[in-house]
């Protein structure tokens, strides 16, 4: 039952936002009493914490699978972007923004976990790009992977990139291209342009 509550809460939080969804909403969706939820979670904060951790772990598993199966680090980054967008339902309700505003401690914990995970996988991916000649040899892999994470977090800032002006899809797509054009070699740029042209036509 604990798993069912976490899964349903995750769906609702990502679709409607962390603040908007009440314990009553979750109980109604599951057809159970609110008391049953409180048997597993002392309060909504505990539920939000467990749910965000569960979503994070699922996303990490998906990213690991993509990294294992990928042909090259350029396509890998685009595949990860598509997977995350689909999984997080395009973040139409800015759940990240609500999480930061109403549950700052949980948001901070999640941010650190995301950094630890992404730093390792992005670093590996960038190194693979350098080794295969798709990325420039002279780049500082550790610095670039930190910059990439910082930029990815930055585009989710509702104050700087309001959702009234930009969709998350557009922001992620544009930032990804910006990032890759900065580190690609001549060979990498050919691969990137070919990939973009194929996927846009």
């Amino acid at each position: 039952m604990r798993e069912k509550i976490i899964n349903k809460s995750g769906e609702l939080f990502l679709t409607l936002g962390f603040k908007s969804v009440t314990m009553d909403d979750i109980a109604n969706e599951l057809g159970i009493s609110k008391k049953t939820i409180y048997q597993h979670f002392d309060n909504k904060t505990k539920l939000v914490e467990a749910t965000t951790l569960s979503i994070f772990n699922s996303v990490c598993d998906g990213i690991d699978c993509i990294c294992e199966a990928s042909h090259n680090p350029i396509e890998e980054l685009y595949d990860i972007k598509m997977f995350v967008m689909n999984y997080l339902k395009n973040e139409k309700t800015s759940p990240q923004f609500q999480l930061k505003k109403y549950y700052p401690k949980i948001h901070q914990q999640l941010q650190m976990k995301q950094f630890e995970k992404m730093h390792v996988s992005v670093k590996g991916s960038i190194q693979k790009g350098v080794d295969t000649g798709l990325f420039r040899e002279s780049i500082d892999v550790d610095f670039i992977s930190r910059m990439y994470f910082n930029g990815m977090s930055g585009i989710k800032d509702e104050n700087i990139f309001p959702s009234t002006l930009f969709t998350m899809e557009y922001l992620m797509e544009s930032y990804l291209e910006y990032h890759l054009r900065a580190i690609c070699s001549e060979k990498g740029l050919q691969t990137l342009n070919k990939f973009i042209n194929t996927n846009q036509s």
Side-chain angles (χ1 to χ4, degrees):
M1 179 48 82
R2 185 184 160 85
E3 281 307 303
K4 270 188 179 172
I5 295 168
I6 287 175
N7 291 338
K8 181 51 74 181
S9 302
E11 273 177 43
L12 293 171
F13 289 148
L14 288 176
T15 312
L16 305 166
F18 288 97
K19 176 81 169 79
S20 321
V21 176
T22 64
M23 295 299 244
D24 281 317
D25 294 332
I26 297 162
N28 290 338
E29 281 286 326
L30 285 164
I32 57 173
S33 71
K34 210 160 52 167
K35 198 173 148 196
T36 308
I37 299 178
Y38 285 117
Q39 284 170 354
H40 296 277
F41 302 96
D42 295 341
N43 50 46
K44 188 180 169 186
T45 304
K46 292 281 184 203
L47 176 59
V48 168
E49 196 170 13
T51 305
T52 51
L53 189 63
S54 170
I55 291 168
F56 171 76
N57 288 332
S58 298
V59 170
C60 285
D61 291 345
I63 289 173
D64 287 343
C65 290
I66 290 168
C67 292
E68 279 169 33
S70 85
H71 297 300
N72 69 59
I74 293 174
E75 285 187 27
E76 184 180 297
L77 281 174
Y78 277 98
D79 288 344
I80 289 172
K81 183 209 69 149
M82 282 309 296
F83 167 74
V84 172
M85 290 293 295
N86 290 332
Y87 195 92
L88 299 180
K89 306 182 191 301
N90 293 337
E91 295 199 349
K92 285 192 186 73
T93 48
S94 312
Q96 191 99 3
F97 183 67
Q98 286 197 9
L99 189 66
K100 188 177 180 179
K101 190 173 176 184
Y102 300 105
Y103 300 94
K105 266 191 174 164
I106 298 173
H107 180 265
Q108 214 171 356
Q109 286 168 2
L110 187 66
Q111 192 83 346
M112 279 317 296
K113 279 182 176 296
Q114 284 175 337
F115 172 68
E116 284 157 19
K117 171 69 187 171
M118 266 184 81
H119 189 51
V120 173
S121 63
V122 170
K123 214 170 151 181
S125 176
I126 293 172
Q127 189 58 58
K128 193 161 62 174
V130 171
D131 295 342
T132 53
L134 291 171
F135 299 157
R136 289 182 288 112
E137 264 181 51
S138 58
I139 63 172
D140 179 337
V141 172
D142 186 55
F143 171 75
I144 296 290
S145 62
R146 289 169 191 269
M147 282 295 288
Y148 180 71
F149 178 79
N150 202 38
M152 271 302 199
S153 305
I155 59 172
K156 289 177 181 165
D157 188 329
E158 181 76 15
N159 295 316
I160 299 172
F161 297 102
S163 51
T164 47
L165 295 179
F166 306 98
T167 65
M168 190 46 72
E169 170 74 32
Y170 174 80
L171 288 172
M172 285 181 87
E173 188 79 27
S174 303
Y175 178 67
L176 194 48
E177 188 177 339
Y178 171 82
H179 162 74
L180 286 168
R181 289 197 182 281
I183 61 173
C184 274
S185 61
E186 279 302 317
K187 178 184 168 187
L189 284 173
Q190 286 172 4
T191 306
L192 176 63
N193 289 331
K194 194 173 159 190
F195 181 81
I196 290 172
N197 292 334
T198 307
N199 285 278
Q200 281 179 351
S201 53

Coordinates of all heavy atoms in Angstrom, one line a residue, residues 111-161:
Q111 N 18.3 18.4 -5.0 CA 19.3 19.1 -5.8 C 20.7 18.5 -5.7 O 21.4 18.3 -6.6 CB 19.3 20.6 -5.4 CG 20.1 21.5 -6.3 CD 19.2 21.9 -7.5 OE1 18.2 21.4 -7.8 NE2 19.7 23.0 -8.2
M112 N 21.0 18.2 -4.4 CA 22.4 17.6 -4.2 C 22.4 16.1 -4.8 O 23.4 15.8 -5.3 CB 22.6 17.5 -2.6 CG 23.2 18.8 -2.1 SD 24.4 19.6 -3.1 CE 25.8 18.5 -3.1
K113 N 21.4 15.4 -4.6 CA 21.3 14.0 -5.2 C 21.4 14.1 -6.7 O 22.1 13.3 -7.3 CB 20.0 13.3 -4.8 CG 20.0 12.7 -3.4 CD 18.7 12.0 -3.1 CE 18.7 11.3 -1.7 NZ 19.7 10.3 -1.6
Q114 N 20.7 15.0 -7.3 CA 20.7 15.2 -8.7 C 22.1 15.5 -9.2 O 22.6 15.0 -10.2 CB 19.7 16.3 -9.2 CG 18.3 15.9 -9.1 CD 17.3 17.0 -9.4 OE1 17.7 18.2 -9.3 NE2 16.1 16.7 -9.9
F115 N 22.8 16.4 -8.4 CA 24.1 16.8 -8.8 C 25.1 15.6 -8.8 O 25.8 15.4 -9.7 CB 24.6 18.0 -7.9 CG 26.1 18.3 -8.2 CD1 26.5 18.8 -9.4 CD2 27.1 17.9 -7.3 CE1 27.8 19.1 -9.7 CE2 28.4 18.2 -7.5 CZ 28.8 18.7 -8.7
E116 N 25.0 14.9 -7.7 CA 25.9 13.7 -7.5 C 25.7 12.7 -8.7 O 26.6 12.2 -9.2 CB 25.6 13.0 -6.2 CG 26.2 13.8 -5.0 CD 25.5 13.4 -3.7 OE1 24.9 12.4 -3.6 OE2 25.7 14.2 -2.7
K117 N 24.4 12.5 -9.0 CA 24.1 11.5 -10.1 C 24.5 12.1 -11.4 O 25.2 11.4 -12.2 CB 22.6 11.2 -10.0 CG 22.1 10.4 -11.2 CD 22.6 9.0 -11.2 CE 22.3 8.2 -12.4 NZ 22.9 7.0 -12.5
M118 N 24.1 13.3 -11.7 CA 24.4 13.9 -13.0 C 25.9 14.1 -13.2 O 26.4 14.0 -14.3 CB 23.6 15.2 -13.2 CG 22.3 14.9 -13.9 SD 21.4 16.5 -14.3 CE 22.3 17.0 -15.8
H119 N 26.5 14.5 -12.2 CA 28.0 14.8 -12.3 C 28.7 13.6 -12.8 O 29.6 13.7 -13.7 CB 28.5 15.3 -11.0 CG 29.9 15.9 -11.1 ND1 30.3 16.8 -12.0 CD2 31.0 15.6 -10.4 CE1 31.5 17.1 -11.9 NE2 32.1 16.4 -10.9
V120 N 28.4 12.5 -12.2 CA 29.1 11.2 -12.6 C 28.7 10.8 -14.0 O 29.6 10.5 -14.8 CB 28.7 10.1 -11.6 CG1 29.3 8.8 -12.1 CG2 29.3 10.4 -10.2
S121 N 27.4 10.8 -14.3 CA 27.0 10.3 -15.6 C 27.4 11.3 -16.8 O 27.9 10.9 -17.8 CB 25.5 9.9 -15.7 OG 24.7 11.1 -15.5
V122 N 27.3 12.6 -16.5 CA 27.6 13.6 -17.5 C 29.1 13.6 -17.8 O 29.6 13.7 -18.9 CB 27.1 15.0 -17.2 CG1 27.6 16.0 -18.1 CG2 25.5 15.0 -17.2
K123 N 29.9 13.5 -16.7 CA 31.3 13.5 -16.8 C 31.8 12.3 -17.6 O 32.6 12.4 -18.5 CB 31.9 13.3 -15.3 CG 33.2 14.0 -15.2 CD 33.6 14.0 -13.7 CE 35.1 14.1 -13.5 NZ 35.5 14.1 -12.1
G124 N 31.2 11.1 -17.4 CA 31.5 9.9 -18.2 C 31.1 10.1 -19.6 O 31.9 9.7 -20.5
S125 N 30.0 10.7 -19.9 CA 29.5 10.9 -21.2 C 30.4 11.9 -22.0 O 30.8 11.7 -23.1 CB 28.1 11.5 -21.2 OG 27.6 11.8 -22.4
I126 N 30.8 13.0 -21.3 CA 31.7 14.0 -21.9 C 33.0 13.4 -22.2 O 33.6 13.6 -23.3 CB 31.8 15.3 -21.0 CG1 30.4 16.0 -21.0 CG2 32.9 16.2 -21.6 CD1 30.4 17.1 -20.0
Q127 N 33.5 12.6 -21.3 CA 34.8 11.9 -21.5 C 34.8 11.0 -22.7 O 35.7 11.0 -23.5 CB 35.2 11.1 -20.2 CG 36.7 10.6 -20.3 CD 37.7 11.7 -20.4 OE1 37.8 12.6 -19.6 NE2 38.5 11.7 -21.5
K128 N 33.7 10.3 -22.8 CA 33.5 9.4 -24.0 C 33.5 10.2 -25.3 O 34.0 9.8 -26.3 CB 32.1 8.7 -23.8 CG 31.9 7.5 -24.8 CD 30.9 6.5 -24.3 CE 29.5 7.1 -24.2 NZ 28.4 6.1 -23.9
G129 N 32.9 11.4 -25.2 CA 32.9 12.3 -26.4 C 34.3 12.8 -26.8 O 34.6 12.8 -28.0
V130 N 35.1 13.1 -25.8 CA 36.5 13.5 -26.0 C 37.3 12.3 -26.6 O 38.0 12.4 -27.6 CB 37.1 14.0 -24.7 CG1 38.6 14.2 -24.9 CG2 36.5 15.2 -24.2
D131 N 37.1 11.1 -26.0 CA 37.8 9.9 -26.4 C 37.5 9.5 -27.9 O 38.3 9.0 -28.6 CB 37.5 8.7 -25.5 CG 38.1 9.0 -24.1 OD1 38.9 9.9 -23.9 OD2 37.6 8.3 -23.1
T132 N 36.2 9.8 -28.3 CA 35.8 9.4 -29.6 C 36.0 10.5 -30.6 O 35.6 10.4 -31.8 CB 34.3 8.9 -29.6 OG1 33.5 9.9 -29.0 CG2 34.1 7.6 -28.9
G133 N 36.5 11.6 -30.2 CA 36.8 12.7 -31.1 C 35.6 13.6 -31.4 O 35.7 14.5 -32.3
L134 N 34.4 13.4 -30.7 CA 33.2 14.2 -31.0 C 33.3 15.5 -30.2 O 32.7 16.5 -30.6 CB 32.0 13.5 -30.6 CG 31.6 12.2 -31.4 CD1 30.5 11.5 -30.8 CD2 31.2 12.7 -32.9
F135 N 34.0 15.5 -29.1 CA 34.2 16.8 -28.3 C 35.6 17.2 -28.4 O 36.5 16.3 -28.5 CB 33.7 16.6 -26.9 CG 32.3 16.2 -26.7 CD1 31.8 15.5 -25.6 CD2 31.3 16.5 -27.7 CE1 30.5 15.2 -25.4 CE2 30.0 16.2 -27.5 CZ 29.6 15.5 -26.4
R136 N 35.9 18.5 -28.2 CA 37.3 19.0 -28.3 C 38.1 18.4 -27.2 O 37.7 18.3 -26.0 CB 37.2 20.5 -28.2 CG 36.7 21.2 -29.4 CD 36.7 22.7 -29.4 NE 35.7 23.2 -28.4 CZ 36.0 23.8 -27.3 NH1 37.3 24.0 -26.9 NH2 35.1 24.3 -26.5
E137 N 39.3 18.1 -27.5 CA 40.3 17.5 -26.6 C 40.7 18.4 -25.5 O 41.0 18.0 -24.3 CB 41.6 17.1 -27.3 CG 41.6 15.7 -27.8 CD 43.0 15.3 -28.4 OE1 44.0 15.7 -27.9 OE2 42.9 14.8 -29.6
S138 N 40.6 19.7 -25.8 CA 41.1 20.7 -24.8 C 40.2 21.0 -23.7 O 40.5 21.8 -22.8 CB 41.5 22.0 -25.5 OG 40.3 22.5 -26.2
I139 N 38.9 20.5 -23.7 CA 37.9 20.9 -22.7 C 38.3 20.3 -21.3 O 38.8 19.2 -21.3 CB 36.5 20.6 -23.1 CG1 36.3 19.1 -23.2 CG2 36.0 21.3 -24.4 CD1 34.8 18.7 -23.5
D140 N 37.9 21.0 -20.3 CA 38.0 20.6 -18.9 C 36.7 19.8 -18.6 O 35.7 20.4 -18.3 CB 38.2 21.8 -18.0 CG 38.4 21.4 -16.5 OD1 37.9 20.3 -16.2 OD2 39.0 22.2 -15.8
V141 N 36.8 18.5 -18.6 CA 35.7 17.6 -18.5 C 34.9 17.9 -17.1 O 33.7 18.0 -17.1 CB 36.1 16.1 -18.6 CG1 34.9 15.2 -18.2 CG2 36.6 15.8 -20.0
D142 N 35.6 18.0 -16.0 CA 35.0 18.2 -14.7 C 34.3 19.6 -14.7 O 33.1 19.6 -14.3 CB 36.1 18.2 -13.6 CG 35.4 18.3 -12.2 OD1 34.6 17.4 -11.9 OD2 35.8 19.2 -11.5
F143 N 34.9 20.6 -15.2 CA 34.3 22.0 -15.2 C 33.0 22.0 -16.1 O 32.0 22.5 -15.7 CB 35.3 23.0 -15.8 CG 34.7 24.3 -16.1 CD1 34.4 25.2 -15.0 CD2 34.5 24.7 -17.4 CE1 33.9 26.4 -15.3 CE2 33.9 26.0 -17.6 CZ 33.6 26.8 -16.6
I144 N 33.1 21.4 -17.3 CA 32.0 21.4 -18.2 C 30.8 20.6 -17.7 O 29.7 21.0 -17.8 CB 32.4 20.8 -19.6 CG1 33.5 21.6 -20.3 CG2 31.2 20.6 -20.5 CD1 33.0 22.9 -20.8
S145 N 31.1 19.5 -17.0 CA 30.0 18.7 -16.4 C 29.3 19.5 -15.3 O 28.0 19.4 -15.2 CB 30.4 17.3 -15.9 OG 31.3 17.5 -14.9
R146 N 30.0 20.3 -14.6 CA 29.4 21.1 -13.5 C 28.6 22.2 -14.1 O 27.5 22.6 -13.7 CB 30.5 21.7 -12.6 CG 31.1 20.6 -11.7 CD 32.3 21.2 -10.9 NE 33.1 20.1 -10.3 CZ 32.8 19.7 -9.0 NH1 31.9 20.3 -8.3 NH2 33.5 18.7 -8.5
M147 N 29.2 22.8 -15.2 CA 28.5 23.9 -15.9 C 27.2 23.4 -16.5 O 26.1 24.1 -16.5 CB 29.3 24.4 -17.1 CG 30.4 25.4 -16.6 SD 29.8 26.9 -15.9 CE 29.2 27.7 -17.3
Y148 N 27.2 22.2 -17.0 CA 26.0 21.6 -17.7 C 24.9 21.4 -16.6 O 23.8 21.8 -16.8 CB 26.3 20.2 -18.3 CG 25.1 19.6 -18.9 CD1 24.6 20.1 -20.1 CD2 24.5 18.5 -18.4 CE1 23.5 19.5 -20.7 CE2 23.4 17.9 -19.0 CZ 22.9 18.4 -20.1 OH 21.8 17.8 -20.7
F149 N 25.3 20.9 -15.4 CA 24.3 20.7 -14.4 C 23.7 22.1 -13.9 O 22.5 22.3 -13.7 CB 24.9 20.0 -13.2 CG 23.9 19.9 -12.0 CD1 23.0 18.9 -12.1 CD2 23.9 20.8 -11.0 CE1 22.0 18.8 -11.0 CE2 23.0 20.6 -9.9 CZ 22.1 19.6 -10.0
N150 N 24.6 23.1 -13.8 CA 24.2 24.4 -13.3 C 23.2 25.0 -14.3 O 22.2 25.6 -13.9 CB 25.5 25.3 -13.2 CG 25.2 26.4 -12.3 OD1 24.6 26.3 -11.3 ND2 25.8 27.6 -12.6
G151 N 23.5 24.9 -15.6 CA 22.6 25.4 -16.6 C 21.3 24.7 -16.7 O 20.2 25.4 -16.8
M152 N 21.3 23.4 -16.5 CA 20.0 22.6 -16.5 C 19.2 23.0 -15.3 O 18.0 23.1 -15.4 CB 20.3 21.1 -16.4 CG 20.5 20.5 -17.7 SD 19.0 20.7 -18.8 CE 19.2 19.5 -20.0
S153 N 19.8 23.3 -14.2 CA 19.1 23.8 -13.0 C 18.6 25.2 -13.2 O 17.4 25.5 -12.9 CB 19.9 23.8 -11.7 OG 20.5 22.5 -11.6
G154 N 19.4 26.0 -13.9 CA 19.1 27.4 -14.1 C 17.9 27.6 -15.0 O 17.1 28.5 -14.7
I155 N 17.7 26.8 -16.0 CA 16.6 27.0 -16.9 C 15.3 26.7 -16.3 O 14.2 27.0 -16.8 CB 16.7 26.2 -18.3 CG1 16.8 24.7 -18.0 CG2 17.9 26.7 -19.1 CD1 16.8 23.9 -19.3
K156 N 15.3 26.0 -15.1 CA 14.1 25.7 -14.4 C 13.7 26.8 -13.4 O 12.7 26.7 -12.7 CB 14.2 24.4 -13.6 CG 14.3 23.2 -14.5 CD 14.6 21.9 -13.7 CE 14.7 20.8 -14.7 NZ 15.3 19.6 -14.0
D157 N 14.4 27.9 -13.4 CA 14.1 29.0 -12.5 C 13.0 29.9 -13.2 O 13.2 30.5 -14.2 CB 15.4 29.9 -12.3 CG 15.1 31.0 -11.3 OD1 14.0 31.5 -11.1 OD2 16.1 31.3 -10.6
E158 N 11.8 29.8 -12.6 CA 10.6 30.4 -13.1 C 10.8 31.9 -13.2 O 10.2 32.6 -14.0 CB 9.4 30.0 -12.2 CG 8.1 30.6 -12.6 CD 7.5 29.9 -13.8 OE1 7.9 28.8 -14.2 OE2 6.5 30.5 -14.3
N159 N 11.6 32.5 -12.3 CA 11.8 34.0 -12.3 C 12.6 34.4 -13.5 O 12.3 35.5 -14.1 CB 12.6 34.4 -11.0 CG 11.8 34.2 -9.8 OD1 10.6 34.4 -9.7 ND2 12.4 33.6 -8.8
I160 N 13.6 33.6 -13.9 CA 14.4 34.0 -15.1 C 13.8 33.5 -16.4 O 13.9 34.2 -17.4 CB 15.8 33.4 -14.9 CG1 16.4 34.0 -13.6 CG2 16.7 33.8 -16.1 CD1 17.7 33.4 -13.2
F161 N 13.2 32.3 -16.4 CA 12.6 31.8 -17.6 C 11.1 31.5 -17.3 O 10.7 30.3 -17.1 CB 13.3 30.5 -18.0 CG 14.7 30.7 -18.4 CD1 15.8 30.4 -17.5 CD2 15.1 31.2 -19.6 CE1 17.1 30.5 -17.9 CE2 16.4 31.4 -20.0 CZ 17.4 31.1 -19.1

